Amino acid sequence: MDFDYAPAPESRSVVDIRSSYGLFVNGEFVDGGGKAFKTINPATEEVLAEVAEADAADVDRAVKAARRAYSRVWSRMSGAERGKYLFRIARIIQERAREIAVLESIDNGKPIKESRDVDIPTAAAHFFYYAGWADKLEHAGYGPDPQPLGVAGQVIPWNFPFLMLAWKIAPALATGNTVVLKPAETTPLTALLFAEICQQADLPPGVVNIVTGAGATGQALVAHEDVDKVAFTGSTDVGRAIAKAVAGSTKKVTLELGGKAANIVFDDAPIDQAVEGIVNGIFFNQGHVCCAGSRLLVQESVAEDVLERLKRRMGTLRVGDPLDKNTDVGAINSAEQLAKIRELSEVGEAEGAGRWSPPCELPDHGFWFPPTVFTGVTQAHRIAREEIFGPVLSVLTFRTPKEAVEKANNTPYGLSAGIWSDKGSRTLWMAGQLRAGVVWSNTFNKFDPASPFGGFKESGYGREGGRHGLEGYLR
Amino acid sequence: MTSTDASLRRFLHGLPGVDQVGVEQRAAGLGTRSIKTSAKDFAIDLAIGMVDLTTLEGSDTPGKVRALAAKAMRPDPADPTCPPVAAVCVYPDMVPFVKEALSRSGGSSGVRIASVATAFPSGRAARDVKLADVEDAVDAGADEIDMVIDRGAFLSGRYLQVYEEIVAVRQACGSAHLKVIFETGELQTYDNVRRASWLAMLAGGHFIKTSTGKVQPAATLPVTLVMLEAVRDFRDVTGQMVGVKPAGGIRSSKDAIKYLVTVNEIAGPDWLHPDWFRFGASTLLNDLLMQRTKMTTGRYSGPDYFTLD
């Protein structure tokens, strides 16, 4: 008997998208000097709004506003008072969670299930967590009287627009810094909604400024001479350019860059849950996750069984309308990203890996890519080395724990890893051997504001989240 | 494999483990599926047809079980399109009265008679007493026997004893179908649930069932999920299908729909049939009927519009 789930669309009526948006500088929305750009719904290619582009002069105004707010208000305020603002913001995020989630899904293409159950609640949790630190900084382990840095220039990616905003802004404000933040050009809308939340919370003008635009705007921001701290999450290429741009300056930098994480499945793993973890590791958020488990390393003795189960599970993934509450995999964020995923997948095929996707109907409009698995992949394949940042899994095998460690570490990246085994002693040994910032045991993609996150090697430096996340904003 | 305790243990303990956090997370995820409109219509009628309408009380009387049998055949007297339930489930001594009530209306309803047996619910009796209990129920006309496993033997590792008892009960059942109750609330771990599932399937149970309803917790979604994985994997290996019956604690349509979603996505749509999936329940039926009326009329009626039995 076929149990067809009828469409269950989340209502769009909770969001009110304006036809055009300005920049948020000194507590007000203002016009930008650059050429306005359009943001679209990647699931339909419908134009959602025109968004102002900040040119160098706009960025300068925003940094000046942040500096003023820093020296006149925010750095002089007691930690307890700053904490109150953060608690207020956290509560407003919870109150407006549905609105933010729907807007996020429309602008980004991610399933409403994820924005509703993961992104927005975790963002609120970050504000709550750092609100609690604001008046306890002298107990954080960074000296008896740690001081803020000043103005933080922050550039965030399009994969978790609102959550990355929270990761950046919450610790910055808790430690007494003020912020100029640039959201990604394909997903600016929830950051602009956050600007409204700042107004609603009566946050003093200039403490948070949002400048929209593309690469040039970001460049102007990180290179601005009155910025004391640069925080960036995004690709390793851009991260490298930023590191060069700020070299020789006194700016403090944290970078959270790409990854090519190994998800390692041993033969004594809880297999069904491991399969869930593999699916969650690579198909969560269409694989647009820097810590995605994009390399499956499975012990040869169970490889066939795991693959069979994985394929069956992939057959139940529902790809389609991001606003449908039953959608598991949404739209690829942009035409550009889709082209990159397609290109690397074609390379995978050309290099001889076996490509498989479950039968699934993709919508006619918008940017879509089916959940895909490549088998017979070796370390020599490009799809095993380069970050695809899409719903594409490469499957490799190993024979011994030592070989698993070697293969897992044999990458320029080192953001995360997963270990699936019922043997605790081996898991702990593996965790010590893996050069990755986060190692998950019998789970994957678990995030908590109390837990630090960050990379080894080309995955960046500095930590976000937890007590460690305060360090990058204090001196 | 099934010749000694040691070989059974090797097999059952060689099954992949179940990670508690992972399986509970998966079940919670399936619970967020949004089943609306036509899908909800489908699910509610399917769920009604899967109910084993149950009364297992010391206070059961012929009058009580007759009323239940009437309800089983026509759950909603006002609406003839409403399907009958799958079975009426009672103690062995109540089977004749159910049989009589069902046959009085021509016996064409398709409602089957299920009887618990084997010293239900504790299973603490000698094997011949348990087998006599089964024969009693079968002779009285039961189509299905719900047996309990010896949890004491299972927990102390005497797997062969449990296995042999299921085989013996299956034999005593004759043509009646056998449901094997684990009392998962007493087995406690998901690893035990998976092992008990394989043990019962190897021994020839037609159905594996979570609970008696007398122990808390009774059926839970993650436990049922583990059992659905077991029947799916068992078919992959042997080609044989085994049914699953969660029982106890499922009271709302919303819960029932979560179970059907889990059946659909874990075992697969082949199990979406009363031959392969049942709900052991009593109060669930009225909630399903209430939702069904709501779906047809657009209004909720009060509880007084549904029969209490």
Side-chain angles (χ1 to χ4, degrees), chain B:
Chain B
M1 185 163 75
T2 56
S3 56
T4 65
D5 261 337
S7 59
L8 260 177
R9 159 180 291 271
R10 265 198 301 282
F11 172 74
L12 295 175
H13 288 251
L15 293 166
V18 185
D19 184 76
Q20 182 188 339
V21 175
V23 74
E24 288 174 1
Q25 191 178 322
R26 174 77 170 124
L30 287 165
T32 68
R33 288 283 190 224
S34 179
I35 303 303
K36 302 286 182 209
T37 60
S38 57
K40 191 170 176 183
D41 281 336
F42 171 85
I44 286 176
D45 275 13
L46 183 60
I48 291 172
M50 288 173 164
V51 168
D52 278 5
L53 197 58
T54 303
T55 182
L56 296 168
E57 302 298 333
S59 57
D60 286 344
T61 58
K64 164 80 183 175
V65 299
R66 273 188 210 113
L68 211 62
K71 172 108 170 190
M73 291 184 285
R74 278 180 299 115
D76 186 352
D79 183 356
T81 66
C82 179
V85 305
V88 175
C89 182
V90 294
Y91 271 114
D93 62 333
M94 290 292 132
V95 170
F97 306 109
V98 179
K99 193 174 171 65
E100 177 206 322
L102 291 178
S103 57
R104 199 179 294 157
S105 0
S108 60
S109 63
V111 175
R112 298 162 68 87
I113 306 170
S115 170
V116 298
T118 67
F120 180 94
S122 70
R124 295 255 70 84
R127 187 171 295 174
D128 13 337
V129 176
K130 293 182 188 179
L131 294 177
D133 200 16
V134 172
E135 278 153 19
D136 226 26
V138 173
D139 290 345
D143 306 302
E144 301 172 355
I145 298 296
D146 290 26
M147 73 169 285
V148 290
I149 63 164
D150 184 337
R151 282 88 76 187
F154 183 91
L155 289 171
S156 60
R158 284 175 279 135
Y159 296 129
L160 189 62
Q161 184 185 333
V162 180
Y163 173 85
E164 284 174 347
E165 193 158 288
I166 299 171
V167 171
V169 172
R170 163 84 195 260
Q171 214 154 25
C173 280
S175 62
H177 272 214
L178 174 63
K179 305 195 196 100
V180 183
I181 305 173
F182 303 149
E183 199 66 295
T184 53
E186 290 182 349
L187 301 188
Q188 298 218 345
T189 69
Y190 295 114
D191 286 330
N192 277 345
V193 172
R194 175 167 285 178
R195 288 169 192 152
S197 299
W198 277 87
L199 190 61
M201 293 188 294
L202 290 170
H206 296 100
F207 255 82
I208 51 178
K209 176 175 169 183
T210 59
S211 330
T212 61
K214 305 290 183 194
V215 166
Q216 289 302 322
T220 68
L221 198 54
V223 157
T224 309
L225 192 157
V226 170
M227 289 164 64
L228 286 163
E229 286 173 347
V231 296
R232 175 197 69 193
D233 293 348
F234 187 75
R235 181 172 73 169
D236 283 352
V237 179
T238 64
Q240 288 168 22
M241 272 175 81
V242 172
V244 176
K245 177 178 171 185
I250 306 164
R251 294 193 179 83
S252 69
S253 304
K254 204 172 170 177
D255 281 346
I257 291 172
K258 288 180 186 179
Y259 279 86
L260 292 181
V261 164
T262 306
V263 173
N264 190 39
E265 299 199 28
I266 299 292
D270 289 353
W271 268 266
L272 287 174
H273 189 278
D275 285 351
W276 305 112
F277 195 77
R278 297 278 181 86
F279 291 106
S282 42
T283 49
L284 170 65
L285 182 58
N286 268 5
D287 194 63
L288 287 166
L289 296 174
M290 215 182 276
Q291 287 294 331
R292 192 174 189 276
T293 309
K294 200 270 171 174
M295 295 299 284
T296 13
T297 64
R299 293 184 309 276
Y300 280 107
S301 329
D304 284 349
Y305 291 84
F306 302 92
T307 56
L308 289 174
D309 314 275

Side-chain angles (χ1 to χ4, degrees), chain A residues 301-355:
Chain A
S301 51
V302 288
E304 212 173 304
D305 186 34
V306 168
L307 257 177
E308 215 167 282
R309 285 165 191 270
L310 175 64
K311 287 179 176 176
R312 177 169 56 202
R313 175 68 178 92
M314 284 170 70
T316 66
L317 287 172
R318 304 171 65 86
V319 185
D321 180 7
L323 285 185
D324 191 304
K325 290 176 219 164
N326 291 326
T327 292
D328 300 313
V329 179
I332 302 302
N333 181 251
S334 65
E336 193 192 347
Q337 188 57 30
L338 179 59
K340 192 184 149 200
I341 298 168
R342 281 186 177 149
E343 187 210 315
L344 273 166
S345 298
E346 274 152 29
V347 169
E349 251 178 313
E351 288 180 341
R355 177 177 181 165

Side-chain angles (χ1 to χ4, degrees), chain A residues 187-212:
Chain A
T187 55
L189 295 185
T190 47
L192 294 164
L193 181 57
F194 181 78
E196 284 178 31
I197 291 173
C198 292
Q199 288 178 328
Q200 194 184 342
D202 271 330
L203 192 71
V207 172
V208 169
N209 305 273
I210 313 270
V211 292
T212 43

Side-chain angles (χ1 to χ4, degrees), chain A residues 80-162:
Chain A
E81 284 301 312
R82 286 200 309 271
K84 281 187 200 168
Y85 282 105
L86 290 172
F87 278 122
R88 197 180 296 164
I89 289 170
R91 283 195 301 270
I92 297 173
I93 291 172
Q94 287 186 321
E95 281 161 20
R96 299 178 70 171
R98 178 155 301 214
E99 179 187 356
I100 306 169
V102 171
L103 186 61
E104 192 78 309
S105 282
I106 293 173
D107 201 18
N108 170 282
K110 67 174 65 200
I112 185 70
K113 182 173 96 170
E114 287 173 10
S115 47
R116 178 196 66 200
D117 296 345
V118 182
D119 293 41
I120 312 307
T122 315
H126 254 84
F127 275 99
F128 276 116
Y129 176 81
Y130 280 109
W133 269 118
D135 61 354
K136 303 171 191 72
L137 296 173
E138 62 272 33
H139 305 292
Y142 302 113
D145 187 22
Q147 294 299 313
L149 302 173
V151 175
Q154 306 178 321
V155 178
I156 57 170
W158 46 260
N159 57 342
F160 293 95
F162 197 78

